[in-house]
């Protein structure tokens, strides 16, 4: 089972002819709203991959719809607290090539209490996964608690903050980074990924696939992406990570879980949207790449 301490956001999508530069105002061609946040995306991806996932998070009183949406997608929500405050949200501009930029307001994602984390993880079992990203508070406590309880820790270092990764790095079993975050981590630590105290590091490379750095076997392997025509890359990394951890939770080997995650990520970039359009296992199996 996966316990995911993660953000839940309202995603506001603005489809634009080009991404606005500094000082520029442009009119969007189309607007859509959906469920997002790296945490929610990963929970939905893991649930779609067929594993049990309990989301640990917080919503404002305006966020009841998000709770219902997560339930509908198969995510367990007993440890999502409705509280005073504004639900996190992201304003996402997407250009004609599918490139994006994002402004994020964390809202209640930063109001998670020690009690909420403790209550959730007290129900976890040794061997479960704790999954985290960097869009909530509470990661240090959650990592410590997870390790005390014998959970495995997966961490997607996004959005990247050197101090956030450094604070928990010795507790991480699986670290997932994109290319930019990997470069930031190398710069922040002054070390190569193969020198870090993390057993498994997976670097996603967009259309280039991904790289697996195994610090147990001292091997680095690269995997090609599945070929697709991309329309929107938003949420590809989250879908990849949710599927990767779900695959491992279901007993797959790392290469098997990576292959599943590459398929899920490739299918995801052929769609507009985030959590609402993450493919399920059947869609991935039925798709001819
Ligand atoms: P985002 O923040 O936009 O969700 P990211 O930067 O975290 O993305 P990427 O490395 O861009 O993550 O993509 C994650 C995974 O999605 C890749 O490893 C790959 O498997 C898949 N993917 C992304 N873009 C493509 C593409 N153009 N074609 C095929 N697969 C892709």
């Amino acid at each position: 089972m996966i316990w995911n301490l993660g953000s839940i956001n309202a995603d506001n999508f603005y489809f634009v002819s080009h991404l606005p530069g500094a000082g520029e105002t442009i009119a969007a061609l189309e607007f859509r709203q959906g469920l997002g946040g790296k945490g929610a995306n990963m929970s939905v991806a893991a649930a779609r991959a067929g594993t049990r996932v309990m989301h640990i998070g917080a919503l404002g009183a305006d966020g009841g719809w998000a709770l219902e949406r997560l339930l509908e997608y198969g995510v367990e929500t007993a440890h999502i607290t409705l509280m005073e405050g504004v639900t996190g949200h992201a304003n996402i501009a997407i250009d004609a090539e599918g490139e994006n930029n994002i402004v994020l307001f964390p809202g209640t994602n930063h109001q998670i209490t020690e009690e909420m984390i403790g209550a959730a993880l007290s129900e976890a079992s040794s061997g479960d996964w704790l999954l985290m990203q960097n869009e909530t508070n509470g990661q240090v406590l959650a990592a410590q608690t997870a390790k005390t309880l014998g959970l495995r820790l997966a961490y997607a270092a996004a959005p990247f903050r050197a101090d956030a990764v450094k604070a928990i790095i010795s507790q991480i079993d699986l670290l997932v980074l994109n290319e930019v975050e990997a470069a930031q981590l190398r710069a922040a630590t002054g070390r190569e990924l193969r020198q870090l105290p993390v057993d498994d590091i997976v670097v996603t490379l967009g259309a280039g696939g991904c790289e697996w750095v195994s610090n147990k076997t001292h091997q680095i392997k690269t995997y090609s992406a599945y070929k697709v025509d991309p329309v929107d890359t938003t949420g590809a990394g989250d879908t990849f990570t949710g599927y990767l951890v779900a695959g491992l939770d279901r007993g797959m080997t790392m290469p098997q879980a990576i292959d599943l995650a590459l398929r899920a990520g490739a299918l995801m970039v052929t769609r507009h949207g985030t959590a609402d359009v993450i493919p399920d296992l059947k869609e991935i199996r039925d798709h001819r790449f």
Side-chain angles (χ1 to χ4, degrees):
M1 175 163 177
I2 298 172
W3 300 76
N4 182 13
L5 171 64
S7 57
I8 309 168
N9 284 334
D11 274 350
N12 301 319
F13 293 100
Y14 301 90
F15 294 91
V16 292
S17 55
H18 63 275
L19 299 177
E24 186 182 7
T25 301
I26 53 171
L29 306 168
E30 198 188 327
F31 171 74
R32 270 183 238 159
Q33 193 172 50
L35 174 66
K38 287 183 177 297
N41 294 345
M42 289 184 198
S43 278
V44 172
R48 293 269 191 206
T51 202
R52 264 190 81 187
V53 51
M54 174 72 75
H55 195 99
I56 308 167
L59 291 164
D62 56 337
W65 65 275
L67 196 75
E68 277 167 31
R69 203 80 74 87
L70 284 166
L71 268 175
E72 193 186 312
Y73 298 149
V75 176
E76 297 182 37
T77 60
H79 289 284
I80 297 174
T81 305
L82 287 177
M83 55 169 59
E84 264 183 44
V86 178
T87 298
H89 52 274
N91 290 345
I92 304 167
I94 301 172
D95 73 10
E97 273 75 50
E99 286 301 321
N100 63 66
N101 65 24
I102 302 173
V103 177
L104 195 69
F105 182 69
T108 49
N109 292 317
H110 279 192
Q111 293 171 221
I112 294 167
T113 64
E114 290 185 7
E115 291 69 30
M116 287 161 60
I117 293 168
L121 293 183
S122 71
E123 294 173 11
S125 305
S126 169
D128 286 354
W129 282 92
L130 172 66
L131 172 61
M132 304 193 299
Q133 317 76 32
N134 195 24
E135 286 185 342
T136 68
N137 62 324
Q139 286 130 14
V140 171
L141 173 76
Q144 281 165 354
T145 310
K147 288 285 112 176
T148 310
L149 295 169
L151 273 62
R152 293 172 285 177
L153 178 60
Y155 183 63
F160 186 85
R161 265 207 3 241
D163 57 338
V165 191
K166 283 181 180 172
I168 57 167
I169 196 151
S170 60
Q171 287 146 336
I172 300 171
D173 296 290
L174 168 64
L175 178 61
V176 185
L177 306 158
N178 69 15
E179 234 174 335
V180 176
E181 292 148 6
Q184 288 172 312
L185 186 59
R186 278 191 212 97
T189 57
R191 294 203 210 169
E192 293 301 319
L193 300 181
R194 62 183 149 69
Q195 298 171 315
L196 295 175
V198 177
D199 280 352
D200 293 297
I201 303 176
V202 176
V203 182
T204 65
L205 304 169
C210 71
E211 185 179 85
W212 169 34
V213 179
S214 167
N215 288 330
K216 273 189 296 199
T217 63
H218 306 290
Q219 285 186 326
I220 299 178
K221 290 187 184 157
T222 52
Y223 298 83
S224 302
Y226 284 92
K227 288 226 176 327
V228 288
D229 290 323
V231 297
D232 175 6
T233 63
T234 323
D238 301 339
T239 301
F240 180 99
T241 304
Y243 262 87
L244 179 68
V245 180
L248 295 173
D249 185 57
R250 295 183 55 161
M252 289 182 182
T253 63
M254 184 64 85
Q256 288 169 335
I258 285 175
D259 183 66
L260 182 63
L262 287 167
R263 288 170 188 270
L267 205 47
M268 187 62 184
V269 300
T270 65
R271 303 168 174 194
H272 287 295
T274 44
D276 300 300
V277 299
I278 292 173
D280 65 18
L281 211 48
K282 184 172 184 313
E283 286 175 276
I284 291 167
R285 290 209 173 118
D286 290 348
H287 190 84
R288 286 181 188 278
F289 287 98

